[in-house]
Amino acid sequence: MVAIASRPRVLAAAFAVAALTAAAAPAGAQRVGVNSAVNPDATGIPPGATERKLVLGQEVVFNERIATGPAGQTQVLFLDESAMTVGPNADVTIDQFVYDPNSTQGRLAMSATRGVMRFVGGKLSKEENAVSLRTPLGTIGIRGGVFLLNLTGTHLDVVFLYGKGLTVTAANVSQTITRPSFYVTIPGRGAPPSAPAAAPAGTLSTLLGELSGHSGATGGSSNPPSDAGVASSGIASVISANVAASVQQAVQNAQITQLPQYSPNTATTGVNLSTVSNQKTVADVSSGPQGPQPVAIQIAGLVKVAPPGSNLGFTDQSAQGRIPYTGTITYPAGAGQTNGVAAGNTAGGQVFSLSPLTAGATTTVTGTANPGGTASGTATETADGDFFYSNLTTSSNERVFVFGGAPVSQSFYTTTSPTPQFYAFSIQPDASLGTATQPQTIPFLASNVGGTMPNATVSPLYVVNPANTRFASVNVNNSNLPTVALQSSLAINGTGANQSAALVVGTGTFITSGDSGNPAFAASVRGAVQASGTAPITHIVSGAAAVPDGNNNNLFGGTSISGFVIDQNTYTITNDNLNLQLATAVSNSPSSVINYAFTQPAVAAALPSGVGVNRSALDEQVFFGGTMQYGGAVQAPNRYALIGTGALLTDPTSGRVAAVFGGIDPFTASQSGIRSANLAFGSLPGEGRNLSRSAFIDNNLYAALESPSNPSQINGQNLPTLVQTGSSSGTPQLAMVTSGVVNNVAPPLPAGVSFCQCQFLQWGYWTGTVPVPGLGPNGNPRTDFASINPWLAGQPTVNMPTSGVGTYTGAAVATINNGGASYLAAGGFTNVYNFGNFVGNVTISNLDGRTYSGNVSGSNGSPVYGGTLVGTGTNSNLSGLAIGSFFGPGAPETGGSFAIHNNVGPNYLASGIFAGHR
């Protein structure tokens, strides 16, 4: 049997809290609450009974109708700690009240036909869909907090004051309010609710005035209202063990137009930070007892501290270098969200104070940062004021990063859509990994491993949430469809041995954190960097995770995500708990390891046009090329070409990608020991959890890292996988990404040459490190490093032409190893193919200043062809092979891979892809 007794907390109305005296309910009626304050002209009609005057302490029963006249007000305290204040000329009915104090489960349903009311949510309102208020114009769904309602026969206004949010529904349209002092209006029956907007000036004071008590009207009580009277009323054992304290707290909570004081930091914040919650709260800016009032937004966040002179980011992950806080941003009265003061506190005292902050702007700020003393720098706040970040330097030359905001409304996570939803975020630089003259240009890279390389293309962080799926609902305990994300950056500067290049690929999933149960972001980052053609290849391996604030929230905003911060930490694969770690940059020849940290704000951005338009279940043939290096400090690097074919599949429903690149070393297998290599990327549904290893946004935007469950192979021997080992140690570290993610950036092309703008082909880059069993010193594993290499994929032609000649033109892209230098280069491509006798001639021109030509041949009905290539003129000592296919209906396009090496003379390798159309 569900119990209805509880110990509710007394919540004050805008008028004085009156003494409670016991009064009996009608016989057989179920008690739901008590009238805690009454002014004359308020009546109740219990079910099956006659109208009665409401008096103090009188019990309110299930299905009772409460009505007030022109001078009437009353407040009802429900047994779950909810409180409803009813103003003059109101009519409201308690339709349903069921409450179990042990589980805090139940339901409260009310209906109203007219009047001004205020509702303060209790324990039931913390549950989903547990509290609702129905009116003739629309229905209000309540999830915690406080709201005001003004209902006439033809108009409904709902003003949100505090809490997680509420939803107003009418005419099959729902609007959710999460920002305090914002409201929704319904102009008439059958009309939809308006979008949330700031309540007009004077609205709050007018409605609160309707609810305030009148002088001399005590509801018939012989004793004036007092906390002592409440405590001695006999109801204390039901309502609260400490009524006086509860009433005092209630009065503070009710005075939402006045900011309580905090000591010793009153001058900085003016807000009692000890009562800060994890929900944004804004004071009334329109009017108050003394006119316009300051606006205080409650926030939580984290402060990071780096020692003086550090160029490796915020590597200190101890309690001294990673300080969660709760705090406020306080704006002057009448200033809107401009010239704000941000302050954060912990139990040990204030950790920072900064000003001025302005919504939608980057400002120069000054203030204090503990323990570094005075601080200065910049602060950026999103236009909605729900998220900010600041990069500071203290007087003791410490680098300090501060971020904070209000958590995203729960309605954002629980709302689903019949179509996939797409988002974009702009990744902001980490100021600690750059300088004023050389800022970070490539996210997730330290300055000494390519982070400040010029001319970088940095993609947005693309996000897609599947249809009919809650955002960030996947975790280790379920098989929900994932909310996936990807981001990539590419920089290629110069040519030949002077070229510098960097490729970074990150794929991720928004999950439900195992630590806090809150939505979070978990990702992995892979990359390759060469400071010059003769520099070692440096590979990047890191996790990536949204940073939790002082209340364990990770994502900030209102009705959608405004921003969050990504650092190098990760979530474990066994329980989705946050694990602190550093990013790793590993170089070959000479071998070295650098551990560093990154802190990258991600801010909501406009979605580029065309994203998500074309999303297909692709089943494509892959051609790839490139070069690999091995050898460490003792042994000079050895290099070999890798060329081959493979398969690529995408699943738009789950946002996942899987691919296998299968190839050979065509020239030096006896030296390199690589007779065959199968490199596995990503995974598909049915192959285990994605573990942030692939993301499919659309047919033009996708990426995959090493497969977490499908093993790569070297010479037919399976390599360890993430699922097998539980960590990335000893597993292949791979990345592939479409050129569309990095805006089709390609190596510098010769004059008059452009890469194929093909309809039936996609191309991109891949890189990674691969442990090779038994080929290292003393039979130990050897690690082979991939350069930044190209690939392409497409759907081969099914019905090949049987006559005619096709002339195809386009471009070739290859990785070059020239003596001691490694770099990307591009050239022209042509293929003249006779479909009648299956013979063609392929030419790759001006690739790294060299031209190759040769005959290729196919067979009847097959789109595949192959042949040899030989250098022309003075490059006749260079030769190799080409393999390719025709793509699309009627063979409008062609593409493939090729490899070149020198027969005599200095070491020279070129391996890559070509593509063209006719």
Side-chain angles (χ1 to χ4, degrees):
M1 178 177 180
V2 177
I4 59 173
S6 69
R7 299 175 55 211
R9 175 170 51 100
V10 177
L11 295 173
F15 47 86
V17 176
L20 303 181
T21 58
Q30 182 187 43
R31 184 168 65 93
V32 301
V34 64
N35 292 308
S36 65
V38 179
N39 279 321
D41 206 8
T43 61
I45 307 176
T50 59
E51 181 179 285
R52 57 177 179 162
K53 283 283 185 180
L54 294 182
V55 297
L56 286 172
Q58 187 177 52
E59 292 185 338
V60 179
V61 300
F62 172 70
N63 214 22
E64 179 164 5
R65 176 185 171 191
I66 299 170
T68 58
Q73 297 101 8
T74 189
Q75 182 189 42
V76 177
L77 296 179
F78 293 94
L79 297 178
D80 75 321
E81 304 180 19
S82 301
M84 178 176 64
T85 306
V86 181
N89 297 312
D91 193 322
V92 61
T93 300
I94 314 302
D95 296 315
Q96 182 183 14
F97 184 85
V98 179
Y99 177 61
D100 180 350
N102 295 318
S103 66
T104 69
Q105 302 293 305
R107 177 163 176 75
L108 171 59
M110 302 167 286
S111 59
T113 58
R114 68 175 187 271
V116 175
M117 302 164 209
R118 180 177 65 179
F119 183 82
V120 179
K123 291 181 179 178
L124 285 179
S125 71
K126 306 302 188 293
E127 306 296 327
E128 292 283 356
N129 305 316
V131 181
S132 64
L133 174 63
R134 179 171 49 86
T135 78
L137 278 70
T139 299
I140 303 169
I142 304 154
R143 181 71 195 275
V146 185
F147 73 89
L148 290 170
L149 173 145
N150 184 21
L151 173 64
T152 69
T154 60
H155 195 92
L156 172 65
D157 290 334
V158 182
V159 185
F160 182 59
L161 299 182
Y162 173 82
K164 292 188 175 181
L166 62 83
T167 300
V168 181
T169 302
N172 295 320
V173 175
S174 294
Q175 295 286 359
T176 299
I177 319 174
T178 59
R179 177 174 292 186
S181 78
F182 272 47
Y183 87 129
V184 159
T185 185
I186 300 176
R189 291 177 183 265
S194 67
T203 298
L204 288 177
S205 58
T206 299
L207 296 182
L208 290 174
E210 290 287 308
L211 297 172
S212 63
H214 303 307
S215 176
T218 63
S221 173
S222 60
N223 299 313
S226 70
D227 290 347
V230 174
S232 62
S233 67
I235 200 73
S237 62
V238 176
I239 295 178
S240 175
N242 189 345
V243 175
S246 297
V247 171
Q248 182 182 13
Q249 183 64 55
V251 171
Q252 291 175 350
N253 290 345
Q255 301 299 318
I256 59 172
T257 60
Q258 298 180 358
L259 297 178
Q261 299 302 300
Y262 177 80
S263 180
N265 302 309
T266 302
T268 302
T269 66
V271 176
N272 187 344
L273 296 173
S274 65
T275 62
V276 168
S277 72
N278 65 349
Q279 178 62 40
K280 175 179 173 180
T281 303
V282 181
D284 179 16
V285 300
S286 57
S287 63
Q290 291 82 39
Q293 298 294 302
V295 178
I297 299 177
Q298 295 177 355
I299 61 172
L302 188 127
V303 177
K304 290 189 172 189
V305 181
S310 171
N311 64 347
L312 297 177
F314 296 97
T315 56
D316 184 357
Q317 304 218 76
S318 69
Q320 289 72 41
R322 191 180 176 93
I323 309 167
Y325 73 87
T326 56
T328 60
I329 303 175
T330 304
Y331 301 99
Q337 289 182 289
T338 63
N339 295 318
V341 177
N345 289 255
T346 67
Q350 190 174 80
V351 290
F352 75 91
S353 174
L354 300 172
S355 65
L357 268 68
T358 296
T362 297
T363 54
T364 299
V365 294
T366 58
T368 60
N370 184 33
T374 59
S376 62
T378 62
T380 300
E381 189 174 19
T382 55
D384 56 11
D386 288 326
F387 173 70
F388 86 96
Y389 63 92
S390 182
N391 294 295
L392 308 171
T393 302
T394 70
S395 54
S396 55
N397 204 32
E398 289 179 318
R399 302 300 293 266
V400 177
F401 177 83
V402 182
F403 81 90
V408 178
S409 168
Q410 289 298 310
S411 62
F412 173 75
Y413 302 118
T414 57
T415 302
T416 61
S417 169
T419 59
Q421 299 298 298
F422 300 88
Y423 308 88
F425 297 88
S426 175
I427 305 298
Q428 303 301 306
D430 180 342
S432 70
L433 296 180
T435 65
T437 56
Q438 271 195 314
Q440 186 196 43
T441 57
I442 303 179
F444 314 124
L445 295 183
S447 57
N448 56 348
V449 285
T452 59
M453 193 174 292
N455 301 317
T457 296
V458 179
S459 85
L461 176 71
Y462 295 103
V463 178
V464 58
N465 189 57
N468 303 309
T469 302
R470 292 184 295 110
F471 193 98
S473 61
V474 69
N475 62 36
V476 72
N477 297 317
N478 66 44
S479 56
N480 295 341
L481 293 175
T483 305
V484 301
L486 76 84
Q487 192 279 330
S488 186
S489 303
L490 177 66
I492 301 172
N493 295 280
T495 60
N498 295 319
Q499 184 182 91
S500 63
L503 171 68
V504 180
V505 182
T507 60
T509 307
F510 285 85
I511 65 170
T512 298
S513 166
D515 296 290
S516 64
N518 291 329
F521 177 63
S524 296
V525 174
R526 304 288 182 262
V529 178
Q530 275 195 278
S532 71
T534 57
I537 299 175
T538 298
H539 269 275
I540 310 300
V541 179
S542 180
V547 183
D549 69 9
N551 290 319
N552 284 318
N553 292 302
N554 303 275
L555 310 175
F556 304 89
T559 56
S560 188
I561 302 173
S562 300
F564 53 101
V565 175
I566 302 171
D567 69 11
Q568 73 291 332
N569 293 307
T570 189
Y571 281 84
T572 59
I573 68 172
T574 55
N575 54 18
D576 285 340
N577 288 346
L578 185 65
N579 181 48
L580 303 184
Q581 64 173 30
L582 295 177
T584 302
V586 181
S587 299
N588 72 329
S589 187
S591 60
S592 66
V593 177
I594 298 173
N595 292 318
Y596 67 97
F598 52 77
T599 302
Q600 314 281 170
V603 178
L607 188 71
S609 62
V611 173
V613 173
N614 296 313
R615 306 185 80 231
S616 306
L618 302 176
D619 183 357
E620 297 187 331
Q621 183 177 16
V622 170
F623 289 87
F624 75 99
T627 65
M628 306 285 292
Q629 299 183 18
Y630 62 92
V634 177
Q635 181 182 6
N638 294 284
R639 302 155 190 243
Y640 61 92
L642 202 60
I643 180 176
T645 63
L648 182 145
L649 299 96
T650 68
D651 181 58
T653 301
S654 65
R656 294 169 71 166
V657 181
V660 175
F661 291 6
I664 61 171
D665 171 359
F667 307 126
T668 60
S670 60
Q671 177 183 338
S672 69
I674 305 299
R675 300 182 302 277
S676 67
N678 290 302
L679 306 180
F681 299 82
S683 63
L684 295 175
E687 298 175 346
R689 294 186 69 198
N690 187 34
L691 298 175
S692 306
R693 292 312 194 270
S694 70
F696 177 79
I697 306 300
D698 59 29
N699 292 5
N700 192 47
L701 307 171
Y702 55 86
L705 309 185
E706 70 277 358
S707 174
S709 52
N710 298 323
S712 294
Q713 294 180 332
I714 295 294
N715 300 330
Q717 183 175 341
N718 287 350
L719 304 182
T721 67
L722 176 63
V723 170
Q724 292 172 334
T725 63
S727 73
S728 296
S729 178
T731 67
Q733 308 292 314
L734 304 172
M736 60 164 290
V737 64
T738 60
S739 60
V741 177
V742 286
N743 297 327
N744 289 305
V745 172
L749 294 172
V753 175
S754 62
F755 200 84
C756 172
Q757 301 300 310
C758 292
Q759 180 180 353
F760 303 100
L761 286 176
Q762 178 63 264
W763 74 283
Y765 298 93
W766 71 275
T767 189
T769 60
V770 180
V772 179
L775 295 182
N778 302 318
N780 294 317
R782 183 186 78 196
T783 299
D784 289 11
F785 286 67
S787 301
I788 300 175
N789 297 320
W791 62 271
L792 66 80
Q795 183 63 51
T797 300
V798 175
N799 297 313
M800 286 289 294
T802 57
S803 63
V805 175
T807 299
Y808 298 81
T809 59
V813 177
T815 307
I816 310 294
N817 281 174
N818 186 358
S822 175
Y823 49 90
L824 282 158
F829 163 79
T830 60
N831 182 5
V832 181
Y833 194 85
N834 189 316
F835 292 103
N837 59 14
F838 328 120
V839 173
N841 181 269
V842 168
T843 299
I844 294 175
S845 58
N846 199 19
L847 174 69
D848 195 30
R850 298 162 174 83
T851 296
Y852 312 93
S853 184
N855 293 326
V856 294
S857 61
S859 59
N860 186 19
S862 172
V864 179
Y865 59 83
T868 58
L869 296 174
V870 176
T872 61
T874 58
N875 296 305
S876 59
N877 63 320
L878 300 173
S879 65
L881 70 158
I883 53 175
S885 180
F886 296 99
F887 299 92
E893 297 167 2
T894 189
S897 56
F898 69 97
I900 301 290
H901 77 137
N902 64 317
N903 300 312
V904 294
N907 179 273
Y908 189 91
L909 286 172
S911 181
I913 60 168
F914 56 81
H917 59 84
R918 57 175 178 171

